[in-house]
Amino acid sequence: MSISTKIGMKMVYKNLVTNIRKLINHQDVSVGDCLPSEIQLAERFGASRMTVRKALDVLIQDGLLERQQGRGTFIIGKDLKHDNNHLNSFTEHMKMLGKTPHTEVSEFKIIRAPQAIASQLNIQQDDKTYYIKRLRYADKQIIQIEESYLPVTLMPDLTYHHLESSKYDFIEKQANYQIEGCRQTFLPIVASQEFSLQLHCDPRTLLLQLLAVSNTTDGVIVDFSVITFNPVDYKISYYLKRHPLD
């Protein structure tokens, strides 16, 4: 078999996984629905039945499908997708998706803010700052690794216990700061050994990092977070309303 033929077969296989994944995640398809048969999928997507079976195996391993002997292949999950039309906390969003959110706080300490962090929080270098590292779960799967920096002077009563649930909930309901919005920047990174172990992906997998700076209605910066996730497991989509220039 020639190299070009092998590459072509690999592309067909990858495209088939993508197309079946889109079918699973379609808004008119629900968890518990049965997929079309392998023969029907092969005809629909112009692929061999063997290629269809291999693609389904991938999606079974991803926790989206389950084969039931004599009955067919059923949808048991959908990809997590965050529609960014409004600013919600991770906890709020997972509940909207019908998932059970869980947070594991792996680090919580006070540090002196280095210049790079101080500039994000609009504070002075060496000011006292909380450093928090949290693993964010949907059901039993780690979806995000979050590293956060918050000014100690704004939230002197923040504790480890508060961070086991919604950080925004503490900021707004106990520290009494009303969050107006969040500036978000996305950066691609290559998975380190630590990230690959936590997110259950191969080393050097391409991940995304979200840099998020949250501000109050008075313009006070209350939080700078660096959130790392695998876009295969957790997707973020945006709806941007057009405002034409005059």
Side-chain angles (χ1 to χ4, degrees):
M1 184 182 297
S2 67
I3 293 176
S4 60
T5 301
K6 288 182 179 179
I7 293 174
M9 290 177 63
K10 189 173 183 179
M11 288 299 297
V12 170
Y13 165 68
K14 286 188 173 182
N15 288 338
L16 184 57
V17 172
T18 299
N19 286 330
I20 298 176
R21 189 183 291 274
K22 287 179 180 178
L23 175 63
I24 293 168
N25 289 314
H26 194 277
Q27 62 182 4
D28 294 332
V29 176
S30 302
V31 172
D33 287 350
C34 183
L35 279 186
S37 69
E38 292 178 1
I39 294 176
Q40 290 172 322
L41 290 172
E43 292 176 350
R44 177 171 180 170
F45 296 115
S48 70
R49 186 173 178 181
M50 182 180 295
T51 304
V52 168
R53 177 160 291 189
K54 286 176 62 179
L56 294 177
D57 286 341
V58 171
L59 297 167
I60 288 170
Q61 291 175 3
D62 288 347
L64 302 182
L65 299 175
E66 179 183 72
R67 281 197 185 98
Q68 297 183 14
Q69 187 68 33
R71 297 190 62 208
T73 304
F74 288 82
I75 298 171
I76 60 171
K78 293 195 172 201
D79 288 319
L80 292 176
K81 182 179 177 183
H82 190 154
D83 291 313
N84 261 18
N85 302 325
H86 303 284
L87 182 61
N88 298 110
S89 71
F90 178 86
T91 299
E92 291 167 337
H93 188 70
M94 289 303 105
K95 288 180 178 178
M96 285 189 290
L97 290 174
K99 301 289 185 178
T100 301
H102 169 66
T103 299
E104 178 185 334
V105 183
S106 59
E107 287 190 61
F108 177 55
K109 60 186 178 182
I110 294 176
I111 64 170
R112 296 287 181 176
Q115 183 57 49
I117 302 302
S119 62
Q120 294 285 356
L121 291 173
N122 198 24
I123 60 177
Q124 297 297 313
Q125 183 176 351
D126 292 330
D127 279 0
K128 288 185 177 181
T129 308
Y130 294 112
Y131 169 73
I132 304 141
K133 184 173 182 180
R134 304 194 297 175
L135 306 180
R136 314 304 302 275
Y137 291 77
D139 294 335
K140 296 182 179 181
Q141 180 183 3
I142 297 176
I143 297 298
Q144 295 180 352
I145 301 167
E146 178 194 83
E147 296 176 272
S148 298
Y149 303 85
L150 294 81
V152 172
T153 54
L154 298 181
M155 288 160 268
D157 298 327
L158 181 64
T159 67
Y160 180 99
H161 174 71
H162 294 130
L163 297 165
E164 292 180 309
S165 54
S166 171
K167 182 175 56 182
Y168 275 8
D169 194 57
F170 171 81
I171 292 173
E172 294 188 315
K173 295 181 180 178
Q174 299 193 46
N176 296 316
Y177 292 102
Q178 185 61 45
I179 296 175
E180 180 183 65
C182 178
R183 185 176 74 250
Q184 300 182 339
T185 304
F186 289 89
L187 297 173
I189 66 164
V190 175
S192 64
Q193 186 68 31
E194 180 183 6
F195 284 154
S196 66
L197 289 173
Q198 292 172 326
L199 293 173
H200 301 288
C201 62
D202 293 331
R204 305 196 64 78
T205 295
L206 186 63
L207 305 177
L208 282 178
Q209 275 193 337
L210 168 61
L211 279 58
V213 181
S214 300
N215 61 276
T216 69
T217 51
D218 297 325
V220 177
I221 306 299
V222 291
D223 174 41
F224 170 55
S225 291
V226 179
I227 302 166
T228 304
F229 60 94
N230 188 342
V232 171
D233 296 326
Y234 185 69
K235 297 174 175 60
I236 297 179
S237 66
Y238 285 82
Y239 175 78
L240 302 178
K241 191 172 182 179
R242 175 167 165 73
H243 291 283
L245 298 175
D246 294 331

